[in-house]
PDB file of all heavy atoms in Angstrom:
ATOM      1  N   ALA G  52     -12.181  39.606 -31.961  1.00  0.00           N
ATOM      2  CA  ALA G  52     -12.843  39.629 -30.652  1.00  0.00           C
ATOM      3  C   ALA G  52     -13.803  40.806 -30.557  1.00  0.00           C
ATOM      4  O   ALA G  52     -14.932  40.667 -30.090  1.00  0.00           O
ATOM      5  CB  ALA G  52     -11.793  39.713 -29.544  1.00  0.00           C
ATOM      6  N   ARG G  53     -13.352  41.976 -30.998  1.00  0.00           N
ATOM      7  CA  ARG G  53     -14.230  43.148 -30.968  1.00  0.00           C
ATOM      8  C   ARG G  53     -15.428  42.951 -31.881  1.00  0.00           C
ATOM      9  O   ARG G  53     -16.542  43.355 -31.572  1.00  0.00           O
ATOM     10  CB  ARG G  53     -13.459  44.401 -31.362  1.00  0.00           C
ATOM     11  CG  ARG G  53     -12.448  44.882 -30.329  1.00  0.00           C
ATOM     12  CD  ARG G  53     -11.983  46.297 -30.641  1.00  0.00           C
ATOM     13  NE  ARG G  53     -11.348  46.375 -31.946  1.00  0.00           N
ATOM     14  CZ  ARG G  53     -10.044  46.237 -32.150  1.00  0.00           C
ATOM     15  NH1 ARG G  53      -9.247  45.997 -31.119  1.00  0.00           N
ATOM     16  NH2 ARG G  53      -9.538  46.333 -33.354  1.00  0.00           N
ATOM     17  N   SER G  54     -15.197  42.332 -33.052  1.00  0.00           N
ATOM     18  CA  SER G  54     -16.282  42.114 -33.991  1.00  0.00           C
ATOM     19  C   SER G  54     -17.323  41.151 -33.429  1.00  0.00           C
ATOM     20  O   SER G  54     -18.523  41.354 -33.598  1.00  0.00           O
ATOM     21  CB  SER G  54     -15.741  41.577 -35.318  1.00  0.00           C
ATOM     22  OG  SER G  54     -14.838  42.490 -35.896  1.00  0.00           O
ATOM     23  N   LEU G  55     -16.865  40.092 -32.765  1.00  0.00           N
ATOM     24  CA  LEU G  55     -17.791  39.146 -32.152  1.00  0.00           C
ATOM     25  C   LEU G  55     -18.678  39.847 -31.131  1.00  0.00           C
ATOM     26  O   LEU G  55     -19.887  39.633 -31.085  1.00  0.00           O
ATOM     27  CB  LEU G  55     -17.014  38.009 -31.489  1.00  0.00           C
ATOM     28  CG  LEU G  55     -16.474  36.912 -32.402  1.00  0.00           C
ATOM     29  CD1 LEU G  55     -15.484  36.041 -31.646  1.00  0.00           C
ATOM     30  CD2 LEU G  55     -17.600  36.071 -32.971  1.00  0.00           C
ATOM     31  N   GLU G  56     -18.078  40.674 -30.306  1.00  0.00           N
ATOM     32  CA  GLU G  56     -18.851  41.372 -29.296  1.00  0.00           C
ATOM     33  C   GLU G  56     -19.805  42.375 -29.920  1.00  0.00           C
ATOM     34  O   GLU G  56     -20.940  42.541 -29.476  1.00  0.00           O
ATOM     35  CB  GLU G  56     -17.918  42.084 -28.317  1.00  0.00           C
ATOM     36  CG  GLU G  56     -17.219  41.152 -27.353  1.00  0.00           C
ATOM     37  CD  GLU G  56     -16.665  41.889 -26.155  1.00  0.00           C
ATOM     38  OE1 GLU G  56     -16.426  43.096 -26.281  1.00  0.00           O
ATOM     39  OE2 GLU G  56     -16.480  41.259 -25.111  1.00  0.00           O
ATOM     40  N   ALA G  57     -19.352  43.080 -30.977  1.00  0.00           N
ATOM     41  CA  ALA G  57     -20.198  44.087 -31.599  1.00  0.00           C
ATOM     42  C   ALA G  57     -21.369  43.450 -32.333  1.00  0.00           C
ATOM     43  O   ALA G  57     -22.466  43.994 -32.355  1.00  0.00           O
ATOM     44  CB  ALA G  57     -19.369  44.938 -32.565  1.00  0.00           C
ATOM     45  N   ASN G  58     -21.152  42.287 -32.949  1.00  0.00           N
ATOM     46  CA  ASN G  58     -22.238  41.609 -33.648  1.00  0.00           C
ATOM     47  C   ASN G  58     -23.268  41.042 -32.685  1.00  0.00           C
ATOM     48  O   ASN G  58     -24.445  40.950 -33.004  1.00  0.00           O
ATOM     49  CB  ASN G  58     -21.687  40.467 -34.510  1.00  0.00           C
ATOM     50  CG  ASN G  58     -21.018  40.960 -35.772  1.00  0.00           C
ATOM     51  OD1 ASN G  58     -21.185  42.111 -36.173  1.00  0.00           O
ATOM     52  ND2 ASN G  58     -20.254  40.096 -36.413  1.00  0.00           N
ATOM     53  N   SER G  59     -22.826  40.636 -31.513  1.00  0.00           N
ATOM     54  CA  SER G  59     -23.709  39.983 -30.557  1.00  0.00           C
ATOM     55  C   SER G  59     -24.454  41.018 -29.726  1.00  0.00           C
ATOM     56  O   SER G  59     -23.846  41.806 -29.003  1.00  0.00           O
ATOM     57  CB  SER G  59     -22.896  39.061 -29.641  1.00  0.00           C
ATOM     58  OG  SER G  59     -23.709  38.546 -28.617  1.00  0.00           O
ATOM     59  N   GLY G  60     -25.783  40.998 -29.829  1.00  0.00           N
ATOM     60  CA  GLY G  60     -26.576  41.916 -29.024  1.00  0.00           C
ATOM     61  C   GLY G  60     -26.398  41.717 -27.532  1.00  0.00           C
ATOM     62  O   GLY G  60     -26.199  42.676 -26.792  1.00  0.00           O
ATOM     63  N   PRO G  61     -26.458  40.460 -27.009  1.00  0.00           N
ATOM     64  CA  PRO G  61     -26.248  40.268 -25.573  1.00  0.00           C
ATOM     65  C   PRO G  61     -24.904  40.777 -25.081  1.00  0.00           C
ATOM     66  O   PRO G  61     -24.803  41.336 -23.990  1.00  0.00           O
ATOM     67  CB  PRO G  61     -26.363  38.751 -25.413  1.00  0.00           C
ATOM     68  CG  PRO G  61     -27.253  38.317 -26.516  1.00  0.00           C
ATOM     69  CD  PRO G  61     -26.915  39.224 -27.664  1.00  0.00           C
ATOM     70  N   ALA G  62     -23.838  40.593 -25.877  1.00  0.00           N
ATOM     71  CA  ALA G  62     -22.522  41.064 -25.445  1.00  0.00           C
ATOM     72  C   ALA G  62     -22.481  42.582 -25.374  1.00  0.00           C
ATOM     73  O   ALA G  62     -21.750  43.157 -24.567  1.00  0.00           O
ATOM     74  CB  ALA G  62     -21.438  40.551 -26.392  1.00  0.00           C
ATOM     75  N   PHE G  63     -23.278  43.241 -26.214  1.00  0.00           N
ATOM     76  CA  PHE G  63     -23.294  44.705 -26.215  1.00  0.00           C
ATOM     77  C   PHE G  63     -23.826  45.259 -24.904  1.00  0.00           C
ATOM     78  O   PHE G  63     -23.462  46.353 -24.496  1.00  0.00           O
ATOM     79  CB  PHE G  63     -24.150  45.195 -27.386  1.00  0.00           C
ATOM     80  CG  PHE G  63     -24.214  46.692 -27.509  1.00  0.00           C
ATOM     81  CD1 PHE G  63     -23.081  47.429 -27.818  1.00  0.00           C
ATOM     82  CD2 PHE G  63     -25.409  47.374 -27.340  1.00  0.00           C
ATOM     83  CE1 PHE G  63     -23.135  48.802 -27.946  1.00  0.00           C
ATOM     84  CE2 PHE G  63     -25.470  48.745 -27.463  1.00  0.00           C
ATOM     85  CZ  PHE G  63     -24.332  49.465 -27.768  1.00  0.00           C
ATOM     86  N   VAL G  64     -24.693  44.481 -24.238  1.00  0.00           N
ATOM     87  CA  VAL G  64     -25.248  44.948 -22.969  1.00  0.00           C
ATOM     88  C   VAL G  64     -24.139  45.215 -21.967  1.00  0.00           C
ATOM     89  O   VAL G  64     -24.162  46.196 -21.218  1.00  0.00           O
ATOM     90  CB  VAL G  64     -26.255  43.926 -22.420  1.00  0.00           C
ATOM     91  CG1 VAL G  64     -26.771  44.349 -21.052  1.00  0.00           C
ATOM     92  CG2 VAL G  64     -27.408  43.763 -23.390  1.00  0.00           C
ATOM     93  N   ARG G  65     -23.121  44.344 -21.936  1.00  0.00           N
ATOM     94  CA  ARG G  65     -22.038  44.539 -20.981  1.00  0.00           C
ATOM     95  C   ARG G  65     -21.248  45.817 -21.276  1.00  0.00           C
ATOM     96  O   ARG G  65     -20.691  46.439 -20.379  1.00  0.00           O
ATOM     97  CB  ARG G  65     -21.099  43.334 -20.982  1.00  0.00           C
ATOM     98  CG  ARG G  65     -20.063  43.420 -19.870  1.00  0.00           C
ATOM     99  CD  ARG G  65     -19.229  42.165 -19.795  1.00  0.00           C
ATOM    100  NE  ARG G  65     -20.033  41.023 -19.437  1.00  0.00           N
ATOM    101  CZ  ARG G  65     -20.456  40.794 -18.197  1.00  0.00           C
ATOM    102  NH1 ARG G  65     -20.161  41.623 -17.228  1.00  0.00           N
ATOM    103  NH2 ARG G  65     -21.182  39.736 -17.931  1.00  0.00           N
ATOM    104  N   ARG G  66     -21.211  46.204 -22.530  1.00  0.00           N
ATOM    105  CA  ARG G  66     -20.519  47.441 -22.873  1.00  0.00           C
ATOM    106  C   ARG G  66     -21.210  48.646 -22.251  1.00  0.00           C
ATOM    107  O   ARG G  66     -20.629  49.708 -22.110  1.00  0.00           O
ATOM    108  CB  ARG G  66     -20.451  47.612 -24.383  1.00  0.00           C
ATOM    109  CG  ARG G  66     -19.741  46.494 -25.116  1.00  0.00           C
ATOM    110  CD  ARG G  66     -18.266  46.519 -24.869  1.00  0.00           C
ATOM    111  NE  ARG G  66     -17.632  47.666 -25.475  1.00  0.00           N
ATOM    112  CZ  ARG G  66     -16.352  47.963 -25.338  1.00  0.00           C
ATOM    113  NH1 ARG G  66     -15.576  47.207 -24.602  1.00  0.00           N
ATOM    114  NH2 ARG G  66     -15.847  49.020 -25.933  1.00  0.00           N
ATOM    115  N   LEU G  67     -22.469  48.493 -21.874  1.00  0.00           N
ATOM    116  CA  LEU G  67     -23.188  49.567 -21.211  1.00  0.00           C
ATOM    117  C   LEU G  67     -22.976  49.552 -19.702  1.00  0.00           C
ATOM    118  O   LEU G  67     -23.565  50.331 -18.976  1.00  0.00           O
ATOM    119  CB  LEU G  67     -24.688  49.462 -21.506  1.00  0.00           C
ATOM    120  CG  LEU G  67     -25.093  49.689 -22.956  1.00  0.00           C
ATOM    121  CD1 LEU G  67     -26.587  49.458 -23.116  1.00  0.00           C
ATOM    122  CD2 LEU G  67     -24.724  51.079 -23.423  1.00  0.00           C
ATOM    123  N   GLY G  68     -22.167  48.610 -19.223  1.00  0.00           N
ATOM    124  CA  GLY G  68     -21.840  48.576 -17.802  1.00  0.00           C
ATOM    125  C   GLY G  68     -22.723  47.671 -16.994  1.00  0.00           C
ATOM    126  O   GLY G  68     -22.705  47.719 -15.767  1.00  0.00           O
ATOM    127  N   PHE G  69     -23.509  46.799 -17.662  1.00  0.00           N
ATOM    128  CA  PHE G  69     -24.430  45.931 -16.940  1.00  0.00           C
ATOM    129  C   PHE G  69     -23.815  44.567 -16.674  1.00  0.00           C
ATOM    130  O   PHE G  69     -23.140  44.020 -17.537  1.00  0.00           O
ATOM    131  CB  PHE G  69     -25.713  45.751 -17.752  1.00  0.00           C
ATOM    132  CG  PHE G  69     -26.723  44.861 -17.102  1.00  0.00           C
ATOM    133  CD1 PHE G  69     -27.507  45.330 -16.082  1.00  0.00           C
ATOM    134  CD2 PHE G  69     -26.884  43.563 -17.531  1.00  0.00           C
ATOM    135  CE1 PHE G  69     -28.447  44.529 -15.485  1.00  0.00           C
ATOM    136  CE2 PHE G  69     -27.823  42.733 -16.938  1.00  0.00           C
ATOM    137  CZ  PHE G  69     -28.611  43.227 -15.914  1.00  0.00           C
ATOM    138  N   LYS G  70     -24.088  44.020 -15.515  1.00  0.00           N
ATOM    139  CA  LYS G  70     -23.655  42.660 -15.180  1.00  0.00           C
ATOM    140  C   LYS G  70     -24.882  41.809 -14.929  1.00  0.00           C
ATOM    141  O   LYS G  70     -25.827  42.235 -14.291  1.00  0.00           O
ATOM    142  CB  LYS G  70     -22.769  42.661 -13.935  1.00  0.00           C
ATOM    143  CG  LYS G  70     -21.416  43.295 -14.154  1.00  0.00           C
ATOM    144  CD  LYS G  70     -20.458  42.903 -13.081  1.00  0.00           C
ATOM    145  CE  LYS G  70     -20.142  41.441 -13.170  1.00  0.00           C
ATOM    146  NZ  LYS G  70     -19.113  41.032 -12.202  1.00  0.00           N
ATOM    147  N   SER G  71     -24.855  40.599 -15.443  1.00  0.00           N
ATOM    148  CA  SER G  71     -25.991  39.703 -15.249  1.00  0.00           C
ATOM    149  C   SER G  71     -26.114  39.337 -13.781  1.00  0.00           C
ATOM    150  O   SER G  71     -25.182  39.471 -13.000  1.00  0.00           O
ATOM    151  CB  SER G  71     -25.820  38.440 -16.094  1.00  0.00           C
ATOM    152  OG  SER G  71     -24.669  37.739 -15.682  1.00  0.00           O
ATOM    153  N   GLU G  72     -27.297  38.848 -13.427  1.00  0.00           N
ATOM    154  CA  GLU G  72     -27.570  38.545 -12.022  1.00  0.00           C
ATOM    155  C   GLU G  72     -26.620  37.506 -11.464  1.00  0.00           C
ATOM    156  O   GLU G  72     -26.283  37.509 -10.297  1.00  0.00           O
ATOM    157  CB  GLU G  72     -29.015  38.063 -11.883  1.00  0.00           C
ATOM    158  CG  GLU G  72     -30.035  39.144 -12.201  1.00  0.00           C
ATOM    159  CD  GLU G  72     -31.446  38.651 -12.006  1.00  0.00           C
ATOM    160  OE1 GLU G  72     -31.608  37.544 -11.469  1.00  0.00           O
ATOM    161  OE2 GLU G  72     -32.381  39.364 -12.363  1.00  0.00           O
ATOM    162  N   SER G  73     -26.198  36.585 -12.311  1.00  0.00           N
ATOM    163  CA  SER G  73     -25.323  35.526 -11.806  1.00  0.00           C
ATOM    164  C   SER G  73     -23.942  36.044 -11.464  1.00  0.00           C
ATOM    165  O   SER G  73     -23.244  35.488 -10.636  1.00  0.00           O
ATOM    166  CB  SER G  73     -25.193  34.418 -12.860  1.00  0.00           C
ATOM    167  OG  SER G  73     -24.579  34.923 -14.025  1.00  0.00           O
ATOM    168  N   GLY G  74     -23.522  37.136 -12.135  1.00  0.00           N
ATOM    169  CA  GLY G  74     -22.199  37.687 -11.884  1.00  0.00           C
ATOM    170  C   GLY G  74     -21.079  36.797 -12.343  1.00  0.00           C
ATOM    171  O   GLY G  74     -19.943  36.954 -11.947  1.00  0.00           O
ATOM    172  N   LYS G  75     -21.348  35.817 -13.205  1.00  0.00           N
ATOM    173  CA  LYS G  75     -20.327  34.861 -13.640  1.00  0.00           C
ATOM    174  C   LYS G  75     -19.988  35.109 -15.097  1.00  0.00           C
ATOM    175  O   LYS G  75     -20.504  34.463 -15.992  1.00  0.00           O
ATOM    176  CB  LYS G  75     -20.820  33.429 -13.448  1.00  0.00           C
ATOM    177  CG  LYS G  75     -21.115  33.079 -11.983  1.00  0.00           C
ATOM    178  CD  LYS G  75     -21.649  31.675 -11.866  1.00  0.00           C
ATOM    179  CE  LYS G  75     -21.983  31.334 -10.416  1.00  0.00           C
ATOM    180  NZ  LYS G  75     -22.546  29.980 -10.284  1.00  0.00           N
ATOM    181  N   GLY G  76     -19.167  36.102 -15.337  1.00  0.00           N
ATOM    182  CA  GLY G  76     -18.706  36.349 -16.695  1.00  0.00           C
ATOM    183  C   GLY G  76     -19.761  37.014 -17.542  1.00  0.00           C
ATOM    184  O   GLY G  76     -20.593  37.773 -17.071  1.00  0.00           O
ATOM    185  N   SER G  77     -19.740  36.695 -18.849  1.00  0.00           N
ATOM    186  CA  SER G  77     -20.600  37.356 -19.802  1.00  0.00           C
ATOM    187  C   SER G  77     -22.059  36.984 -19.573  1.00  0.00           C
ATOM    188  O   SER G  77     -22.372  35.940 -19.023  1.00  0.00           O
ATOM    189  CB  SER G  77     -20.186  36.966 -21.225  1.00  0.00           C
ATOM    190  OG  SER G  77     -18.862  37.349 -21.461  1.00  0.00           O
ATOM    191  N   PRO G  78     -22.987  37.866 -20.019  1.00  0.00           N
ATOM    192  CA  PRO G  78     -24.401  37.533 -19.899  1.00  0.00           C
ATOM    193  C   PRO G  78     -24.709  36.225 -20.605  1.00  0.00           C
ATOM    194  O   PRO G  78     -24.108  35.898 -21.619  1.00  0.00           O
ATOM    195  CB  PRO G  78     -25.090  38.711 -20.589  1.00  0.00           C
ATOM    196  CG  PRO G  78     -24.100  39.816 -20.563  1.00  0.00           C
ATOM    197  CD  PRO G  78     -22.758  39.163 -20.629  1.00  0.00           C
ATOM    198  N   ARG G  79     -25.667  35.486 -20.069  1.00  0.00           N
ATOM    199  CA  ARG G  79     -26.026  34.221 -20.681  1.00  0.00           C
ATOM    200  C   ARG G  79     -26.546  34.462 -22.082  1.00  0.00           C
ATOM    201  O   ARG G  79     -27.316  35.374 -22.330  1.00  0.00           O
ATOM    202  CB  ARG G  79     -27.097  33.523 -19.846  1.00  0.00           C
ATOM    203  CG  ARG G  79     -26.598  33.078 -18.487  1.00  0.00           C
ATOM    204  CD  ARG G  79     -27.769  32.661 -17.633  1.00  0.00           C
ATOM    205  NE  ARG G  79     -28.658  33.798 -17.416  1.00  0.00           N
ATOM    206  CZ  ARG G  79     -29.929  33.670 -17.063  1.00  0.00           C
ATOM    207  NH1 ARG G  79     -30.457  32.477 -16.909  1.00  0.00           N
ATOM    208  NH2 ARG G  79     -30.682  34.728 -16.874  1.00  0.00           N
ATOM    209  N   VAL G  80     -26.155  33.620 -23.014  1.00  0.00           N
ATOM    210  CA  VAL G  80     -26.494  33.847 -24.406  1.00  0.00           C
ATOM    211  C   VAL G  80     -27.991  33.713 -24.648  1.00  0.00           C
ATOM    212  O   VAL G  80     -28.519  34.249 -25.588  1.00  0.00           O
ATOM    213  CB  VAL G  80     -25.711  32.866 -25.308  1.00  0.00           C
ATOM    214  CG1 VAL G  80     -26.247  31.459 -25.173  1.00  0.00           C
ATOM    215  CG2 VAL G  80     -25.747  33.312 -26.759  1.00  0.00           C
ATOM    216  N   GLN G  81     -28.743  33.003 -23.767  1.00  0.00           N
ATOM    217  CA  GLN G  81     -30.142  32.808 -24.021  1.00  0.00           C
ATOM    218  C   GLN G  81     -30.994  33.954 -23.498  1.00  0.00           C
ATOM    219  O   GLN G  81     -32.203  33.911 -23.591  1.00  0.00           O
ATOM    220  CB  GLN G  81     -30.635  31.501 -23.386  1.00  0.00           C
ATOM    221  CG  GLN G  81     -30.687  31.516 -21.862  1.00  0.00           C
ATOM    222  CD  GLN G  81     -29.425  30.979 -21.268  1.00  0.00           C
ATOM    223  OE1 GLN G  81     -28.372  31.040 -21.892  1.00  0.00           O
ATOM    224  NE2 GLN G  81     -29.493  30.443 -20.058  1.00  0.00           N
ATOM    225  N   THR G  82     -30.388  34.980 -22.940  1.00  0.00           N
ATOM    226  CA  THR G  82     -31.160  36.056 -22.349  1.00  0.00           C
ATOM    227  C   THR G  82     -31.402  37.173 -23.344  1.00  0.00           C
ATOM    228  O   THR G  82     -30.942  37.162 -24.476  1.00  0.00           O
ATOM    229  CB  THR G  82     -30.430  36.625 -21.127  1.00  0.00           C
ATOM    230  OG1 THR G  82     -29.140  37.086 -21.540  1.00  0.00           O
ATOM    231  CG2 THR G  82     -30.264  35.581 -20.049  1.00  0.00           C
ATOM    232  N   PHE G  83     -32.142  38.179 -22.860  1.00  0.00           N
ATOM    233  CA  PHE G  83     -32.339  39.443 -23.560  1.00  0.00           C
ATOM    234  C   PHE G  83     -33.142  39.301 -24.852  1.00  0.00           C
ATOM    235  O   PHE G  83     -32.741  39.774 -25.908  1.00  0.00           O
ATOM    236  CB  PHE G  83     -31.010  40.152 -23.823  1.00  0.00           C
ATOM    237  CG  PHE G  83     -30.134  40.222 -22.603  1.00  0.00           C
ATOM    238  CD1 PHE G  83     -28.799  39.908 -22.666  1.00  0.00           C
ATOM    239  CD2 PHE G  83     -30.657  40.578 -21.378  1.00  0.00           C
ATOM    240  CE1 PHE G  83     -27.992  39.966 -21.544  1.00  0.00           C
ATOM    241  CE2 PHE G  83     -29.866  40.637 -20.248  1.00  0.00           C
ATOM    242  CZ  PHE G  83     -28.533  40.322 -20.328  1.00  0.00           C
ATOM    243  N   ALA G  84     -34.281  38.602 -24.775  1.00  0.00           N
ATOM    244  CA  ALA G  84     -35.307  38.641 -25.815  1.00  0.00           C
ATOM    245  C   ALA G  84     -34.851  38.124 -27.160  1.00  0.00           C
ATOM    246  O   ALA G  84     -35.234  38.654 -28.184  1.00  0.00           O
ATOM    247  CB  ALA G  84     -35.837  40.076 -25.954  1.00  0.00           C
ATOM    248  N   TRP G  85     -34.029  37.061 -27.185  1.00  0.00           N
ATOM    249  CA  TRP G  85     -33.657  36.467 -28.469  1.00  0.00           C
ATOM    250  C   TRP G  85     -34.915  36.050 -29.222  1.00  0.00           C
ATOM    251  O   TRP G  85     -34.983  36.168 -30.428  1.00  0.00           O
ATOM    252  CB  TRP G  85     -32.734  35.277 -28.232  1.00  0.00           C
ATOM    253  CG  TRP G  85     -32.014  34.808 -29.450  1.00  0.00           C
ATOM    254  CD1 TRP G  85     -31.056  35.481 -30.149  1.00  0.00           C
ATOM    255  CD2 TRP G  85     -32.182  33.552 -30.109  1.00  0.00           C
ATOM    256  NE1 TRP G  85     -30.613  34.722 -31.207  1.00  0.00           N
ATOM    257  CE2 TRP G  85     -31.286  33.533 -31.205  1.00  0.00           C
ATOM    258  CE3 TRP G  85     -32.990  32.442 -29.883  1.00  0.00           C
ATOM    259  CZ2 TRP G  85     -31.188  32.453 -32.068  1.00  0.00           C
ATOM    260  CZ3 TRP G  85     -32.883  31.358 -30.744  1.00  0.00           C
ATOM    261  CH2 TRP G  85     -31.989  31.371 -31.827  1.00  0.00           C
ATOM    262  N   ASN G  86     -35.876  35.521 -28.530  1.00  0.00           N
ATOM    263  CA  ASN G  86     -37.255  35.445 -29.010  1.00  0.00           C
ATOM    264  C   ASN G  86     -38.153  35.491 -27.783  1.00  0.00           C
ATOM    265  O   ASN G  86     -37.657  35.583 -26.649  1.00  0.00           O
ATOM    266  CB  ASN G  86     -37.508  34.202 -29.879  1.00  0.00           C
ATOM    267  CG  ASN G  86     -37.273  32.886 -29.143  1.00  0.00           C
ATOM    268  OD1 ASN G  86     -37.689  32.711 -28.000  1.00  0.00           O
ATOM    269  ND2 ASN G  86     -36.591  31.951 -29.800  1.00  0.00           N
ATOM    270  N   ALA G  87     -39.457  35.452 -27.986  1.00  0.00           N
ATOM    271  CA  ALA G  87     -40.374  35.659 -26.865  1.00  0.00           C
ATOM    272  C   ALA G  87     -40.582  34.422 -26.008  1.00  0.00           C
ATOM    273  O   ALA G  87     -41.200  34.519 -24.949  1.00  0.00           O
ATOM    274  CB  ALA G  87     -41.729  36.148 -27.391  1.00  0.00           C
TER     275      ALA G  87
END
């Protein structure tokens, strides 16, 4: 579980204390500049 979160860039954002606008669990996987 820790490895999955550490490998995933979007999941790392939550470790910085950020919550997505929806407030529904983890940040959406399609966010945060996966591509332009």
